[in-house]
Amino acid sequence: MGTVQEVGLIRVVDGGGDGFRRADIIGKEIQNLVTTKARGIVISTLDDFLDFVVEDFNPQRFDGIAYALAGLIKDRDEVKKSPNAHFLDGVKMALETQKRVQKKSAVFNDMEAAVIGMSALFPQENYFMGITWSSGIGLRIWKDGNILSLAEGGHMVLDPSPFAPLCGCGKRGHVEAIIGGHAIKRRVIAETEALGIRVPKDKHPCQFLDEEFEKEQEWAVNLYKIVGKGMGIFLANIQTLLKLPLIIWKGTFALRVFEKGIEPIIRSQMQSSLIDPTWADESNLRFEFSPPNNEDALIGAAQAFKSLS
């Protein structure tokens, strides 16, 4: 990744539903990437989190600490509501960090950071939606050098019924609660139990789903088709409002879906829902993938932090 810089580094920490990671960023260069998942670290308290954040942190080498966190963020400081890490609810994260290390800190929504990073990684694009499809679903719209709004598209209502699945935010029927990775895990468990299929104890339900899909088991193939149609309906609503030319995808579940050839199902569902079906054609709406390892959010949080200066 190049030589370590003695000044100008920004420590970036990001996280959502699958744990946290940190890295030291200068420009588009990513150094010293560490993840809680790889280390087997479980973080359940603010003190645990701050210990992870400031580990090996030398204040003389860094300009500050930036966060890219899922949930509602207020004043670049307070995590008003985290959909997954509830120990952060109501915490003024930037303030708590500054108490620990006496360096400037700022907090950004994880998709806000990701889309800013995408704009740096795809500099030729001036209008697109960045979407994470992983344990949850988050998105932002980039237009002419700015994010259009700090809305939470993953919490759009997809099922208004009173029996719709409960989302991590506490509301029912949100997109994330129906086709997010955690929701698919629950669906696999329910489907296999209903069909009398045993999921091996040493396998994640989504891993088992993938293996069964590769074996062309009807229940697994149908489940992926249902998921694809759900995403198609969701994107048709987005496209009806915004008529996007490009969607930039990221996230482990997105990779799984596209590797299994579900894109035509997504586009077909969009076409059947849109007033003008051609808005979902490949010639009018391109799909691209952001680089792996969440580079976009790390780079974007660092850039957003520098812009505050």
Side-chain angles (χ1 to χ4, degrees):
M1 284 292 187
T3 58
V4 174
Q5 303 293 318
E6 289 304 319
V7 293
L9 282 170
I10 298 170
R11 166 72 52 93
V12 176
V13 182
D14 84 330
D18 285 330
F20 298 93
R21 66 176 64 206
R22 72 166 192 261
D24 303 331
I25 312 295
I26 185 162
K28 297 181 185 179
E29 184 178 316
I30 300 171
Q31 304 171 3
N32 308 321
L33 180 64
V34 178
T35 70
T36 57
K37 190 172 183 179
R39 284 192 175 182
I41 300 171
V42 177
I43 292 177
S44 57
T45 69
L46 178 60
D47 283 338
D48 290 343
F49 187 40
L50 283 169
D51 287 344
F52 174 74
V53 169
V54 303
E55 183 182 24
D56 299 327
F57 183 82
N58 180 348
Q60 294 182 340
R61 293 181 53 227
F62 288 84
D63 289 343
I65 297 177
Y67 292 91
L69 300 176
L72 298 175
I73 310 300
K74 180 181 179 182
D75 300 330
R76 304 290 188 232
D77 182 7
E78 182 183 354
V79 182
K80 290 189 68 177
K81 191 166 190 177
S82 170
N84 300 297
H86 291 298
F87 67 88
L88 293 176
D89 289 350
V91 174
K92 292 187 175 181
M93 199 64 231
L95 179 61
E96 293 297 329
T97 303
Q98 287 162 193
K99 288 179 183 177
R100 278 277 193 122
V101 294
Q102 290 76 52
K103 295 292 287 190
K104 181 179 177 181
S105 180
V107 185
F108 307 93
N109 172 270
D110 58 344
M111 275 311 301
E112 176 188 8
V115 170
I116 291 171
M118 288 173 182
S119 72
L121 295 166
F122 295 81
Q124 73 280 10
E125 306 293 346
N126 66 352
Y127 184 33
F128 64 87
M129 178 174 78
I131 180 169
T132 296
W133 193 2
S134 190
S135 55
I137 293 175
L139 63 87
R140 289 290 188 273
I141 312 299
W142 183 264
K143 184 78 164 66
D144 297 331
N146 293 288
I147 292 175
L148 288 186
S149 76
L150 300 183
E152 287 290 330
H155 297 274
M156 183 185 294
V157 174
L158 199 59
D159 180 354
S161 75
F163 306 106
L166 192 66
C167 185
C169 71
K171 306 291 185 179
R172 291 191 180 274
H174 290 180
V175 174
E176 184 170 302
I178 296 171
I179 57 172
H182 283 327
I184 304 307
K185 174 185 174 181
R186 294 193 299 269
R187 181 67 178 268
V188 171
I189 293 170
E191 290 275 339
T192 53
E193 287 181 351
L195 294 169
I197 298 170
R198 186 180 68 86
V199 178
K201 291 183 179 180
D202 62 342
K203 287 187 179 176
H204 189 283
C206 289
Q207 179 189 358
F208 183 69
L209 169 65
D210 290 347
E211 291 175 357
E212 294 291 280
F213 181 92
E214 296 301 325
K215 295 175 184 176
E216 299 183 351
Q217 294 298 311
E218 184 177 8
W219 75 270
V221 172
N222 286 339
L223 180 50
Y224 262 111
K225 287 180 179 178
I226 290 168
V227 170
K229 288 180 178 180
M231 179 55 75
I233 293 170
F234 174 51
L235 292 183
N237 290 331
I238 299 290
Q239 192 67 339
T240 296
L241 286 173
L242 299 172
K243 201 174 181 295
L244 296 161
L246 171 65
I247 294 175
I248 300 178
W249 298 85
K250 60 178 292 186
T252 52
F253 197 77
L255 284 169
R256 284 177 172 159
V257 167
F258 283 90
E259 285 174 352
K260 288 166 180 56
I262 307 299
E263 179 179 344
I265 294 173
I266 295 174
R267 289 189 183 273
S268 176
Q269 183 62 56
M270 290 182 70
Q271 289 163 342
S272 68
S273 302
L274 286 165
I275 188 171
D276 185 344
T278 67
W279 291 358
D281 291 351
E282 291 184 35
S283 58
N284 292 321
L285 176 62
R286 293 177 292 125
F287 289 171
E288 300 281 356
F289 263 87
S290 194
N293 300 324
N294 222 20
E295 293 176 17
D296 45 33
L298 297 171
I299 292 169
Q303 291 201 355
F305 180 89
K306 278 195 170 294
S307 73
L308 296 179
S309 300

